[in-house]
Amino acid sequence: MTGTGARWLAGALIVACLLLAGPSASSSVYTAQPLPAGAPENAVPNRVMTWNICNPCKGGGQNGGRAAEIATYAPQVIGLQEACVGDVEKIRNYLRYRYGLVYHVEYGSVLPSWSRCGGLPWSPGGFGQAILAAAPMSDLVNVEYLDGGSEDRGYMAVTTLVDGMPVRVFNTHLAERRQESVRAQQTGVLAKAVARYDRTIVLGDFNAVPDAPELAVMWRVAGDADPGCGPSGAGTCEPTTDWRSKFDYVFLRGFDTLEQRVHLTAWSDHDLVQADLGRT
């Protein structure tokens, strides 16, 4: 049996067990579904991914579609931006009950947003960042930038395992595109925190192209997983958005890149950025 077939069977067995447990334990929306040939059977230990999942974005079936995209590549760690807590929980359920992939989660919500995330008017859903990891996470830190620009923004950080090694993982979303001076303040705060660690992965939507002045401080403490991309503007940086700019980064300290790929998706105006890492 192929890896894809084995994972499909595992998902089907999980759903069958839930059905035996009773109607309150499952839903038909979690029926196991096959993935493309060659999809990993389990989370890939040295693979990380960053993805701004776009909220609000229109269209039905978004969370199921997002989960299928993640399961196709099965990273060890995923950093999500523009993430509602309720949406992330649905994505996790799809990953577990459709595809047999179990992820832990931590949240870096910076904004209670009823209009974006629903919930009760007096208890709106949290909106911001989230990190999914196949291994447990510890030492969660949430930092809200003093100036978020037009909307509250921040970063989160956890310690988890990548390629079997403990590593500090950051996830951030910087101020919008035309707010360069605000982003410069934010990257200063983030880079200072990143520089404290010898082995670090920084995931996120930086809303800035590689040679933007406000990213200079990040380039001084980390390199991008895209080996052809750098701050000089002379390299070839693969675009990561519908408007064909590179805004999404996997910054690395203490890792080499074995492969970096950008995957187009119908479920967001940002592409998925995947990086397979090697030890230095």
Side-chain angles (χ1 to χ4, degrees):
M1 181 180 293
T2 66
T4 301
R7 197 155 106 200
W8 185 93
L9 177 60
L13 290 173
I14 290 170
V15 172
C17 291
L18 288 170
L19 288 171
L20 290 173
S24 63
S26 68
S27 169
S28 60
V29 299
Y30 299 131
T31 301
Q33 294 184 358
L35 290 169
E41 184 175 350
N42 300 300
V44 181
N46 67 330
R47 178 170 293 171
V48 299
M49 177 183 288
T50 186
W51 192 14
N52 181 321
I53 58 176
C54 183
N55 187 302
C57 273
K58 305 299 183 183
Q62 291 184 57
N63 291 321
R66 291 163 176 165
E69 296 272 16
I70 292 170
T72 296
Y73 310 108
Q76 175 79 3
V77 173
I78 310 117
L80 300 177
Q81 303 89 41
E82 294 196 26
C84 292
V85 170
D87 286 337
V88 175
E89 288 303 310
K90 291 182 178 71
I91 291 169
R92 286 181 72 213
N93 285 338
Y94 280 116
L95 287 167
R96 181 170 187 171
Y97 299 124
R98 275 190 176 179
Y99 306 114
L101 292 170
V102 179
Y103 285 99
H104 305 266
V105 65
E106 293 288 359
Y107 293 100
S109 302
V110 294
L111 182 68
S113 181
W114 183 84
S115 62
R116 286 181 183 260
C117 298
L120 300 173
W122 56 89
S123 182
F127 177 75
Q129 289 76 248
I131 293 177
L132 303 180
M137 291 175 276
S138 63
D139 303 319
L140 169 67
V141 170
N142 277 321
V143 174
E144 184 173 344
Y145 297 124
L146 291 178
D147 185 355
S150 56
E151 180 179 86
D152 294 348
R153 297 286 165 91
Y155 75 78
M156 63 182 298
V158 301
T159 298
T160 189
L161 297 180
V162 175
D163 200 18
M165 298 181 296
V167 58
R168 196 67 174 162
V169 178
F170 290 77
N171 183 20
T172 192
H173 186 192
L174 299 190
E176 294 180 353
R177 281 180 284 171
R178 294 177 178 84
Q179 299 173 355
E180 294 86 350
S181 62
V182 177
R183 287 198 301 275
Q185 298 174 34
Q186 295 170 348
T187 53
V189 171
L190 178 62
K192 184 176 180 180
V194 170
R196 298 190 185 111
Y197 300 90
D198 294 330
R199 193 178 301 279
T200 312
I201 300 168
V202 186
L203 309 170
D205 173 6
F206 284 72
N207 270 320
V209 294
D211 60 350
E214 63 268 27
L215 290 193
V217 66
M218 284 302 303
W219 290 113
R220 287 198 288 270
V221 299
D224 188 53
D226 183 347
C229 187
S232 67
T236 302
C237 300
E238 192 170 3
T240 65
T241 66
D242 282 359
W243 46 97
R244 310 327 297 154
S245 295
K246 178 179 172 69
F247 283 174
D248 304 273
Y249 296 81
V250 178
F251 282 111
L252 303 173
R253 283 169 63 89
F255 286 96
D256 289 328
T257 306
L258 301 179
E259 181 183 43
Q260 194 262 1
R261 299 182 65 186
V262 177
H263 304 285
L264 300 177
T265 172
W267 302 106
S268 175
D269 54 1
H270 288 251
D271 307 325
L272 289 80
V273 182
Q274 166 207 322
D276 292 357
L277 309 181
R279 306 185 186 197
T280 56

